[in-house]
Amino acid sequence: MDHVEAFLEMLAAERGAAANTLEAYRRDLEHLAGFLAPRGRAPAEAGAEDLRGYLAALETAGLAPRTAARRLSALRQYYRFLLGEERRSDDPTLQLASPRQGRSLPKILSEAEVTGLLEAARRRRGPEGLRLVAILELLYATGLRVSELVGLPAAAVARDPRLLIVSGKGGRERMVPLSEPARAALLAYEPARRSFLRRPSDERWLFPSRGGDGHLTRHRVAQLLKELAVEAGTDPSKVSPHVLRHAFASHLLAHGADLRAVQQMLGHADISTTQIYTHVLDERLKSLVQDRHPLAARPAEGPRRAPGAGPGGGRAGGEGG
């Protein structure tokens, strides 16, 4: 497609966009090109009306507002690039309104559910069990994105470190403390790690695999966690690597952790992204009061009169107050 490769090269070189991000942008622009083809236009030539038609088609197809907004964000960046490179004289996305979307709260697991997953993992025998415990402990102890987890080099945990150095989005590095259970799980897993090697060059990965990538894939980690959820008696639809990241943040905040510290450990560029977890806690507290407080289940009553109060609300035989 016209100019798309140059746009993607710019994202990689100037903004340090990850391979997964570049692939998502490529798919979004290819999808737009497919929509515009019957109109005889290429993406670089599209006008505001073409793009409004595209967004309307996404809504008709039932695409979630959040996904439509993400696609529009990709288009905005693409057309800003074309404008900056003087490959067109206007930006058609300036005339577009973003799809309306409510901010959904992230799914999280309770501490009891996480404990259940860990117990189920520990019942697994052999190298597979040791690896699964290490993966679970690491995800829950650090809040890593699954892409960060599978890309960890073995050197990252050499010499039993107390801090993990993680290369996150845009190549930004951050330090995350390792809990004692996570360190113990990694030490127990280390002797079993070599059993997953397919070739000597894969030795560099913390979680090597016999697959083509040389290390575990994001999809395989998600699959392992779904299987584990079934064994633990937890709904598999509730369990994913990202849900464990949510659990990490929410449980830390519930135990009094500083929001800024959690932001740094998650690698969020903007603290507003981290603040969503405070809303999760607010909702859980409301639910707790509603479900457990002894007065919550009572039918509504009129104003209760203080003991000994007369009809006017004051104390019988005297003045209020």
Side-chain angles (χ1 to χ4, degrees):
M1 288 188 297
D2 49 356
H3 312 310
V4 170
E5 292 303 326
F7 168 61
L8 296 176
E9 287 173 7
M10 179 277 293
L11 290 178
E14 297 182 15
R15 303 187 191 176
N20 294 329
T21 302
L22 297 175
E23 185 57 32
Y25 276 58
R26 184 189 298 279
R27 284 197 304 269
D28 290 343
L29 291 168
E30 286 175 349
H31 195 266
L32 173 64
F35 172 81
L36 293 173
R39 302 182 174 209
R41 289 184 183 273
E45 303 163 350
E49 284 306 311
D50 295 313
L51 299 181
R52 283 196 191 94
Y54 175 63
L55 294 175
L58 295 181
E59 184 178 2
T60 301
L63 198 70
R66 185 176 295 276
T67 307
R70 182 188 60 74
R71 288 194 178 175
L72 178 56
S73 174
L75 298 183
R76 289 191 196 283
Q77 294 187 63
Y78 173 63
Y79 288 107
R80 277 201 295 268
F81 166 76
L82 294 181
L83 184 63
E85 294 290 308
E86 299 184 351
R87 300 187 184 190
R88 61 180 293 160
S89 58
D90 67 325
D91 179 354
T93 64
L94 292 177
Q95 303 176 46
L96 303 180
S98 296
R100 296 183 64 182
Q101 52 177 321
R103 191 168 193 185
S104 59
L105 296 179
K107 297 180 189 175
I108 63 167
L109 295 167
S110 68
E111 292 181 40
E113 287 171 321
V114 174
T115 299
L117 290 172
L118 285 165
E119 289 173 349
R122 292 189 185 106
R123 289 193 292 270
R124 293 270 190 99
R125 300 299 177 192
E128 295 278 353
L130 292 169
R131 182 177 69 175
L132 191 53
V133 172
I135 287 171
L136 197 57
E137 286 282 10
L138 201 51
L139 285 173
Y140 184 54
T142 63
L144 291 182
R145 301 176 179 93
V146 66
S147 57
E148 295 168 345
L149 175 89
V150 299
L152 278 175
V157 296
R159 304 184 188 86
D160 187 22
R162 284 169 171 74
L163 287 172
L164 189 66
I165 298 176
V166 182
S167 180
K169 286 187 174 180
R172 293 188 297 270
E173 287 192 343
R174 67 186 190 275
M175 289 191 297
V176 184
L178 277 177
S179 66
E180 289 298 325
R183 291 170 59 205
L186 288 167
L187 284 171
Y189 160 67
E190 175 54 31
R193 191 173 65 86
R194 296 178 188 277
S195 65
F196 299 103
L197 294 174
R198 190 181 72 163
R199 50 186 179 257
S201 60
D202 299 335
E203 171 75 26
R204 67 185 187 276
W205 302 113
L206 179 58
F207 294 107
S209 166
R210 300 181 192 94
D213 292 332
H215 59 72
L216 279 178
T217 63
R218 295 178 303 152
H219 176 74
R220 181 56 180 153
V221 172
Q223 190 179 48
L224 288 170
L225 293 180
K226 300 284 187 192
E227 294 169 359
L228 186 64
V230 173
E231 293 176 25
T234 300
D235 182 356
S237 68
K238 291 179 63 177
V239 180
S240 73
H242 213 66
V243 168
L244 283 168
R245 178 171 160 87
H246 295 325
F248 161 81
S250 299
H251 296 173
L252 276 179
L253 290 170
H255 286 275
D258 177 72
L259 188 66
R260 286 283 182 189
V262 175
Q263 175 197 4
Q264 290 170 3
M265 287 187 282
L266 290 172
H268 287 160
D270 191 330
I271 199 168
S272 65
T273 310
T274 318
Q275 282 173 328
I276 188 68
Y277 296 107
T278 63
H279 300 306
V280 172
L281 295 178
D282 288 345
E283 290 301 314
R284 292 189 72 187
L285 287 172
K286 288 178 190 174
S287 176
L288 182 65
V289 170
Q290 191 65 35
D291 294 344
R292 303 292 177 87
H293 196 285
L295 298 183
R298 288 190 177 190
E301 299 177 358
R304 298 180 68 186
R305 190 176 296 164
R315 291 190 177 276
E319 297 179 1

